[in-house]
Amino acid sequence: MGGTAEHAVVIGASIGGLCAARVLSDFYDRVTLCERDALPDRPANRPAVPQGRHVHLLMARGAQEFETHFPGLLDAMVADGVPILENRPDCIHFGAAGHVLGTAHRLQDEFTAYVPSRPQLEWQIRKRVSALDNVEIIHATVTQPRFDRASEQVTGVHLESGSVLDADLVVDATGRGTRLPAWLQQWGYERPREDVVFVGISYTSQRVRVPDGLLREKVIVAGASSTQPLGLGMLFYEDGIWNITTFGVGKAKPPQDYAQMCALADEILPPHVGAALRHGTPLDDVAHHKYPASRWRRYDKLDRLPAGILPFGDAVVSFNPTFGQGMSMTSLQAGHLRRALETPGADVVRETIRATAKTTFPVWTMNAIGDLTMHRATGPAPWWYQPVGALFDQFLGAAETDPVLAEWFLRRFSLLDSLYMVPSARLVARTIRHNMTLWLAQKRAGKRPVTFEAMRETR
Ligand SMILES: Cc1cc2nc3c(=O)[nH]c(=O)nc-3n(C[C@H](O)[C@H](O)[C@H](O)COP(=O)(O)OP(=O)(O)OC[C@H]3O[C@@H](n4cnc5c(N)ncnc54)[C@H](O)[C@@H]3O)c2cc1C
């Protein structure tokens, strides 16, 4: 684009809308964020973001990206008590698809992760966006964008109050419930194709105060697997309280109360976790949430789009929340928007949509393979998903006792080195060698579980 334009309107002031507004503020004279929720002046949950009551994991890459959009954010969060994932093996218990990784050795130095609660992160970002001179956040519900048929352009938004805001660009950051596909149809355009994976996830969460000293970890994750449709994630947040989220995939019913949550912890986590939870004090009510399907709206495949409207954040793609990627992928999208705005003559909407599709593809595909082959999800699955899923299961099995493979996986899972989860031929060979050695060691040990230390002795 280059230069400045007059007014941008962003619909929705959650993580997506705030990131978009931050970027637009450098290119537009004025930015108005319209949010239907009354926004709290402190870190707090709010009705229109019900997912905020459940565990939200900020990936290491997401933290880095947020810092580029909001310099000083990470230090400020740490000053407010947000835990850092220290470079220590006992800081994290990480189980993926039935394999436990991340406890065997120290991760490399640059792997620094932060553990803000969802309300904390949103509040920190909102504070910074509100402080920008040319940004205004207003408490208003948008009923629909204003579309000018003659110029095939969105020229503003209608508010529930009856007033209209003129705009050169409207960003739809209204989340998974976006009505943009219906509006497009109403204006005579095609709806975007939707790629959908029916994951059938139910969440049950509880905040718990656990007495000091019982848990050294700050992040405890046990994902679902092909044999166990229930999972559990626990994060220790800045308020000194654990948020515990249990979930079921493929329509499996998760625990419904705290006693059942503790029983699940006994089943799928090391014994000290369940024991610590039984000493804990549950706070508030148990929160429930259903997430039927991951959905990618393929605006990148549309030949025609009206000018002046950009879909953003979960309104474009909503990833399986148990993988903890949504906020980080939204922060990457903000980078795409910035680069498009910086490019002289670029079609900002088209370019942002194109770049977003490019970064979405590898993450979406890997999630779909995991969900459709291991997590009882349903949806279209190309023939090659099954063999790739089986190979990946082998890889994760080897990563349980091979720190090189474990680190490779954890860095990719954190979206750090690359968004593509494709091991090199060297790593595949290492996996095969490792699994053969493991198999031989198990045979010799008479099927006793083989530990990382035992593996070292075998080599
Ligand atoms: C259960 C669950 C768990 C998750 N866990 C994680 C995790 O661990 N890690 C992670 O990175 N991500 C996670 N996510 C995803 C993450 O919450 C989203 O990616 C992130 O919030 C970005 O979404 P968004 O801003 O695009 O939309 P949303 O957060 O859905 O926000 C949409 C906003 O638009 C506003 N709005 C809607 N319609 C209107 C209107 N007409 N007028 C005005 N305002 C409107 C709403 O009030 C809301 O504030 C999870 C999601 C779910 C559902």
Side-chain angles (χ1 to χ4, degrees):
M1 176 175 127
T4 57
E6 272 181 31
H7 188 206
V9 167
V10 179
I11 321 173
S14 180
I15 299 285
L18 291 166
C19 285
R22 168 66 197 90
V23 171
L24 293 169
S25 71
D26 287 341
F27 299 88
Y28 283 77
D29 293 342
R30 285 185 308 124
V31 179
T32 306
L33 264 159
C34 304
E35 172 54 53
R36 66 181 172 185
D37 250 356
L39 295 171
D41 58 2
R42 63 195 162 81
N45 284 308
R46 55 190 182 87
V49 182
Q51 71 263 36
R53 293 190 64 191
H54 304 272
V55 150
H56 263 63
L57 187 60
L58 176 60
M59 292 296 170
R61 173 73 179 276
Q64 290 175 359
E65 294 288 330
F66 279 118
E67 178 71 18
T68 64
H69 302 303
F70 303 97
L73 171 76
L74 298 177
D75 282 349
M77 290 203 299
V78 173
D80 280 0
V82 167
I84 301 184
L85 212 54
E86 286 152 27
N87 186 6
R88 222 181 57 205
D90 57 356
C91 210
I92 177 166
H93 172 97
F94 191 88
H99 304 286
V100 178
L101 317 175
T103 52
H105 79 135
R106 222 161 240 276
L107 296 169
Q108 283 175 19
D109 279 340
E110 70 269 24
F111 187 98
T112 307
Y114 297 79
V115 196
S117 67
R118 164 64 203 236
Q120 168 74 213
L121 180 63
E122 185 178 310
W123 177 73
Q124 288 277 359
I125 291 177
R126 190 163 67 240
K127 251 195 331 187
R128 284 161 176 76
V129 172
S130 313
L132 296 168
D133 285 342
N134 59 345
V135 177
E136 189 185 7
I137 304 182
I138 61 171
H139 184 193
T141 300
V142 171
T143 50
Q144 67 168 25
R146 183 178 62 188
F147 176 64
D148 178 45
R149 278 186 196 281
S151 60
E152 296 208 39
Q153 173 138 13
V154 169
T155 57
V157 294
H158 295 277
L159 303 183
E160 203 174 47
S161 60
S163 49
V164 176
L165 295 179
D166 295 333
D168 303 291
L169 176 70
V170 173
V171 175
D172 171 18
T174 56
R176 286 176 298 146
T178 172
R179 287 165 54 211
L180 184 54
W183 291 329
L184 286 178
Q185 199 170 28
Q186 189 184 315
W187 301 332
Y189 294 83
E190 265 184 57
R191 293 174 79 107
R193 179 185 105 199
E194 294 194 357
D195 291 353
V196 184
V197 178
F198 296 96
V199 288
I201 294 172
S202 301
Y203 268 47
T204 303
S205 296
Q206 172 80 70
R207 292 168 74 240
V208 180
R209 195 179 290 286
V210 177
D212 289 350
L214 297 186
L215 291 169
R216 291 188 69 191
E217 299 90 343
K218 288 176 184 154
V219 170
I220 298 176
V221 175
S225 69
S226 46
T227 52
Q228 171 54 277
L230 301 181
L232 191 157
M234 293 174 51
L235 300 186
F236 183 67
Y237 283 141
E238 64 281 345
D239 50 8
I241 291 168
W242 282 90
N243 191 334
I244 301 168
T245 288
T246 56
F247 58 89
V249 300
K251 299 194 177 160
K253 192 173 175 187
Q256 296 297 296
D257 60 29
Y258 189 55
Q260 290 178 11
M261 288 175 147
C262 293
L264 179 63
D266 288 339
E267 207 180 313
I268 63 177
L269 287 167
H272 74 279
V273 180
L277 291 183
R278 286 202 170 74
H279 284 95
T281 311
L283 313 165
D284 323 326
D285 295 334
V286 170
H288 301 276
H289 191 82
K290 281 202 189 303
Y291 182 92
S294 307
R295 200 174 295 273
W296 182 7
R297 296 182 173 92
R298 303 302 305 265
Y299 291 102
D300 57 304
K301 301 283 184 198
L302 287 178
D303 290 332
R304 278 177 72 234
L305 264 177
I309 181 123
L310 173 67
F312 203 83
D314 279 18
V316 180
V317 54
S318 163
F319 295 96
N320 176 338
T322 68
F323 299 142
Q325 297 155 330
M327 300 187 301
S328 298
M329 294 303 287
T330 299
S331 68
L332 288 181
Q333 203 181 352
H336 300 323
L337 176 59
R338 177 173 291 285
R339 282 183 288 281
L341 285 161
E342 279 168 354
T343 308
D347 178 337
V348 171
V349 168
R350 277 280 174 204
E351 186 48 32
T352 308
I353 288 174
R354 189 200 62 76
T356 301
K358 204 170 160 200
T359 44
T360 297
F361 175 77
V363 179
W364 174 269
T365 306
M366 202 57 216
N367 289 1
I369 292 172
D371 284 334
L372 290 162
T373 64
M374 292 183 232
H375 299 151
R376 305 178 187 197
T378 55
W383 67 267
W384 52 273
Y385 275 20
Q386 203 62 46
V388 170
L391 278 175
F392 212 73
D393 195 40
Q394 289 288 315
F395 180 91
L396 288 176
E400 283 195 47
T401 45
D402 183 332
V404 172
L405 300 180
E407 176 143 358
W408 184 91
F409 175 77
L410 287 174
R411 291 182 65 82
R412 298 274 162 143
F413 183 79
S414 304
L415 311 171
L416 271 177
D417 296 336
S418 162
L419 303 177
Y420 280 86
M421 191 69 92
V422 183
S424 63
R426 193 180 53 79
L427 284 186
V428 172
R430 188 181 173 106
T431 303
I432 295 168
R433 215 172 39 243
H434 189 84
N435 280 344
M436 292 285 286
T437 317
L438 187 66
W439 179 75
L440 283 172
Q442 250 159 4
K443 251 185 111 177
R444 270 190 227 117
K447 295 232 179 319
R448 281 200 313 275
V450 178
T451 61
F452 176 61
E453 287 69 28
M455 279 295 295
R456 265 204 304 237
E457 281 161 25
T458 316
R459 283 209 204 122

